[in-house]
């Protein structure tokens, strides 16, 4: 068991953790990233199996527009990504057999929404949501002291505040249910169902529990540039790893952290991991708050302990990975699809499945030319309780649905596998195998969400359980915030 000292140790290698690590390395700090898995990336990674490259979790890449966190990280580090822009970000297959084309262009999408859901107030609703989303993204990198937990944070927030920010902040008190009612759309059940299933993708909850700031932004993510990463999202993670190594930092895989303790005498953190013991001046936890409080021998801030969400307020996922030979009806013009089910999925109870296909111009995810990969996911509520899932039954319904929709023929399937929350917990180490971060709840306002400071010393938290939460852009922003607060506190 070796023992080494580093200026900063980062627990986990998800997008939040790697963001903070890269920004610290840019400042000249010697960083050590400790990851329990054999691959980096956490919920943003890819793995090879039986001749195919499957995504471990996230499948959509957003955040490269101006004012967005991922683009900011790339600008700061000079990292270049090889991406494919998606001209059509998503198709939504509704219960009434209509297919809604989620165009990036706001005007084109509004015209489509009017065709599918009726003209009544669709334009007003979507123009309002898009305006809110623009405000949220433009504000996100200006208010990296948010949520404020110290007097200095409040001062920083006030200095960077604008009349527009004060005006829009009030929408944190209103739910998406209020917004639907405001535009007289609550009686449009087809549209409400659409909104709910779309909100689940990035807000992890339904319209009564999602505030307008987060909800409007979540609904409009397809109105910003969406990308595909050839070879899988591991190729988003690998350039960050390379950047760290080029700047004198280190990433050790298969080296899960087992205990964290703050030594008040030498004012350093003692880290016990699978492959050794380490000490550091600064600690950044990129794993969920649920896991972090279990690792931390010294008490984290009491206010944070109260913010740990139990299983009944979390979601996990049922996932399938399929390698297949595409047929003449397999979609070619769109790779991301949300399919609304005619009745809840057995065993799981979800109302939709999300399907992501490998890009037709990306042969690197299949060992054999002419084949494709499909990644399918759906929500599992209260993952600690719903553990005895008949996977064969769920798989059968999903395959029937995909065949009925023309995505594939069962006889063309070369390989498939599925996983539940147990697999998620083993893969990521996340408590209960929960995914997608903390869902939005109306009793938790943005300034009450989990902040970046973990204790009263030099420990910080990032990732999808810290503000602002879900998705690659949210996780990256949490990493930027953790870095910025650490820098202002100590550097």
């Amino acid at each position: 068991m070796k023992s080494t000292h580093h200026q900063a140790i980062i627990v986990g290698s998800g997008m939040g953790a790697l963001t903070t690590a890269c920004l610290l390395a840019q400042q000249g700090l010697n960083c050590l990233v400790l990851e329990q898995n054999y691959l980096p990336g956490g919920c943003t990674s890819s793995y090879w199996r039986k001749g195919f490259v499957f995504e471990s979790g996230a499948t959509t890449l957003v955040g490269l527009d101006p004012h967005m966190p991922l683009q900011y990280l790339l600008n700061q580090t000079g990292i270049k990504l090889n991406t494919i822009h998606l001209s059509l970000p998503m198709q939504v297959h509704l219960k009434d057999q209509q297919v809604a084309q989620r165009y990036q262009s706001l005007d084109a999408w509004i015209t489509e929404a009017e065709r599918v859901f009726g003209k009544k107030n669709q334009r007003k609703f979507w123009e309002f949501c898009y305006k809110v989303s623009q405000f949220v993204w433009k504000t996100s990198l200006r208010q990296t002291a948010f949520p404020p937990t110290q007097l200095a944070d409040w001062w920083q927030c006030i200095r960077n505040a604008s009349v527009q920010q004060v005006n829009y902040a009030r929408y944190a008190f209103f739910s998406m249910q209020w917004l639907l009612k405001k535009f007289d759309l609550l009686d449009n059940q087809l549209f409400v169902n659409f909104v709910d299933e779309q909100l689940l993708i990035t807000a992890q909850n339904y319209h009564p529990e999602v505030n307008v700031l987060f909800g409007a932004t979540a609904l409009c993510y397809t109105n910003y540039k969406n990308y595909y990463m050839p070879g899988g999202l591991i190729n988003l993670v690998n350039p960050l790893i390379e950047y760290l190594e080029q700047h004198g930092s280190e990433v050790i895989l298969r080296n899960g952290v087992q205990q964290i303790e703050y030594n008040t005498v030498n004012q350093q953190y003692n880290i016990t991991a699978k492959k050794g013991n380490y000490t550091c001046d600064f600690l950044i936890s990129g794993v969920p708050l649920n896991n972090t409080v279990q690792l931390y021998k010294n008490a984290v801030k009491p206010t944070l302990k109260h913010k740990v969400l139990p299983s009944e307020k979390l979601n996990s996922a049922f996932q399938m990975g399929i390698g297949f030979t595409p047929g003449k009806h397999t979609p070619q013009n769109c790779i991301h699809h949300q399919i609304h089910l005619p009745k809840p999925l057995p065993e799981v109870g979800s109302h939709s499945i999300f399907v992501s296909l490998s890009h037709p111009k990306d042969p690197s995810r299949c060992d054999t030319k002419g084949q494709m990969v499909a990644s399918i996911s759906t929500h599992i509520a209260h993952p600690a309780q719903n553990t005895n899932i008949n996977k064969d039954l769920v798989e059968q319904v999903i395959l029937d649905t995909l065949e009925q929709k023309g995505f594939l023929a069962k006889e063309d399937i070369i390989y498939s596998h599925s996983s539940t929350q147990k697999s998620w917990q083993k893969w990521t180490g996340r408590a209960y195998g929960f995914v997608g971060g903390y869902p939005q709840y109306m009793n938790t306002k943005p300034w009450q969400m989990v902040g970046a400071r973990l204790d009263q010393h030099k420990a910080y938290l990032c990732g999808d359980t810290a503000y602002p939460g879900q998705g690659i852009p949210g996780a990256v922003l949490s990493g930027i915030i953790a870095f910025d607060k650490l820098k202002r506190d100590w550097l």
Side-chain angles (χ1 to χ4, degrees):
M1 296 282 282
K2 64 179 182 178
S3 179
T4 58
H5 179 79
H6 297 263
Q7 288 174 291
I9 286 180
I10 295 88
V11 183
S13 65
M15 286 303 297
L18 291 178
T19 295
T20 305
C22 286
L23 294 175
L24 288 173
Q26 185 191 46
Q27 294 290 310
L29 272 69
N30 170 253
C31 300
L32 173 66
V33 178
L34 301 176
E35 167 59 48
Q36 60 90 30
N37 205 339
Y38 74 98
L39 289 170
C43 294
T44 306
S45 191
S46 316
Y47 59 95
W48 180 93
R49 183 179 292 180
K50 302 292 184 179
F52 301 94
V53 176
F54 297 100
E55 301 287 27
S56 67
T59 58
T60 58
L61 178 57
V62 189
L64 296 176
D65 292 79
H67 311 296
M68 285 194 172
L70 181 55
Q71 187 59 55
Y72 171 86
L73 175 64
L74 299 181
N75 291 343
Q76 291 296 306
T77 58
I79 293 172
K80 305 294 183 182
L81 298 178
N82 176 31
T83 60
I84 298 175
H85 175 244
L86 302 178
S87 57
L88 180 58
M90 188 195 307
Q91 289 182 334
V92 182
H93 305 251
L94 301 169
K95 288 183 181 181
D96 66 356
Q97 305 305 311
Q98 292 189 88
V99 179
Q101 314 289 331
R102 291 233 56 184
Y103 298 112
Q104 179 185 323
S105 162
L106 181 62
D107 281 338
W109 164 238
I110 291 173
T111 299
E112 175 72 352
E114 290 177 336
R115 178 189 72 82
V116 174
F117 304 111
K119 286 194 172 183
K120 182 180 177 182
N121 290 336
Q122 288 292 323
R123 177 165 293 278
K124 291 180 180 178
F125 177 85
W126 289 106
E127 286 180 343
F128 177 85
C129 286
Y130 186 67
K131 190 175 180 181
V132 170
S133 73
Q134 286 185 306
F135 160 76
V136 169
W137 287 122
K138 289 179 180 179
T139 302
S140 63
L141 291 172
R142 290 178 53 84
Q143 290 290 6
T144 55
F146 196 86
T149 57
Q150 293 183 356
L151 186 60
D153 291 340
W154 284 102
W155 173 238
Q156 188 80 4
C157 288
I158 292 170
R159 283 180 58 193
N160 293 328
S162 65
V163 174
Q164 185 189 41
Q165 290 176 22
V166 174
N167 181 48
Y168 275 92
R170 62 196 170 106
Y171 292 118
F173 293 97
F174 298 94
S175 70
M176 290 301 293
Q177 180 170 310
W178 169 85
L179 189 65
L180 289 165
K181 184 176 181 180
K182 172 182 169 68
F183 289 104
D184 198 19
L185 291 167
L186 268 180
D187 292 334
N188 188 337
Q189 196 56 52
L190 184 67
F191 182 63
V192 172
N193 291 342
F194 165 84
V195 167
D196 274 342
E197 297 307 309
Q198 291 279 286
L199 286 175
L200 268 184
I201 297 173
T202 51
Q204 298 291 314
N205 218 330
Y206 295 118
H207 70 272
E209 287 289 356
V210 181
N211 71 65
V212 169
L213 289 178
F214 278 77
T217 305
L219 288 179
C220 288
Y221 88 84
T222 51
N223 298 118
Y224 294 88
K225 290 182 179 179
N226 282 234
Y227 295 87
Y228 174 84
M229 181 64 66
L233 282 172
I234 189 70
N235 290 327
L236 169 62
V237 172
N238 283 335
L240 304 180
I241 302 292
E242 292 169 6
Y243 180 89
L244 288 171
E245 293 173 344
Q246 291 167 1
H247 287 74
S249 294
E250 185 179 6
V251 178
I252 304 179
L253 304 176
R254 301 182 187 269
N255 195 21
V257 171
Q258 299 166 343
Q259 183 174 290
I260 301 167
E261 183 176 7
Y262 183 70
N263 188 321
T264 56
V265 177
N266 59 19
Q267 298 183 346
Q268 292 179 344
Y269 291 92
N270 298 329
I271 312 295
T272 302
K274 183 179 179 180
K275 295 183 179 179
N277 299 318
Y278 309 87
T279 60
C280 62
D281 302 313
F282 300 104
L283 171 74
I284 296 89
S285 177
V287 299
L289 182 61
N290 301 61
N291 295 77
T292 301
V293 297
Q294 297 300 318
L295 293 173
Y296 211 123
K297 189 174 180 181
N298 306 76
V300 299
K301 293 169 68 174
T303 53
L304 285 185
K305 277 194 171 183
H306 294 307
K307 294 182 179 181
V308 173
L309 291 186
S311 170
E312 56 264 31
K313 288 192 172 185
L314 299 171
N315 295 305
S316 186
F318 182 94
Q319 283 193 307
M320 281 190 74
I322 304 173
F324 68 103
T325 301
K328 63 180 181 179
H329 298 299
T330 301
Q332 298 291 319
N333 66 327
C334 182
I335 64 169
H336 297 306
H337 302 259
Q338 188 181 53
I339 302 175
H340 294 197
L341 302 171
K343 57 183 179 180
L345 198 61
E347 301 288 305
V348 175
S350 57
H351 298 275
S352 66
I353 59 174
F354 194 82
V355 182
S356 291
L357 304 173
S358 56
H359 199 282
K361 294 182 179 179
D362 178 22
S364 65
R365 288 181 60 186
C366 305
D367 287 0
T368 302
K369 186 178 179 180
Q371 296 176 350
M372 291 183 70
V373 176
S375 299
I376 302 98
S377 63
T378 192
H379 284 76
I380 300 174
H382 198 343
Q385 182 181 66
N386 300 324
T387 56
N388 296 317
I389 294 173
N390 184 338
K391 295 204 305 181
D392 291 339
L393 178 58
V394 180
E395 287 179 15
Q396 189 59 51
V397 175
I398 290 175
L399 290 176
D400 287 345
T401 301
L402 294 178
E403 192 166 50
Q404 290 166 8
K405 296 290 183 181
F407 282 76
L408 51 79
K410 292 177 186 176
E411 60 266 26
D412 291 331
I413 294 175
I414 299 160
Y415 171 75
S416 69
H417 66 289
S418 65
S419 59
T420 63
Q421 62 269 51
K422 292 180 180 179
S423 300
W424 264 104
Q425 188 164 11
K426 183 178 180 180
W427 178 269
T428 64
R430 296 167 70 100
Y432 318 120
F434 86 93
V435 298
Y438 280 180
Q440 289 291 311
Y441 288 99
M442 280 304 297
N443 62 1
T444 302
K445 301 298 182 285
W447 51 88
Q448 297 171 318
M449 293 176 71
V450 178
R453 293 188 184 89
L454 192 55
D455 60 11
Q456 305 297 334
H457 308 293
K458 298 180 180 180
Y460 296 80
L461 180 73
C462 60
D464 60 12
T465 58
Y467 172 88
Q470 305 86 354
I472 291 174
V476 171
L477 181 56
S478 78
I480 294 170
I481 291 172
F483 162 76
D484 193 66
K485 290 193 174 184
L486 186 156
K487 182 181 178 182
R488 286 190 289 107
D489 289 348
W490 304 104
L491 301 181

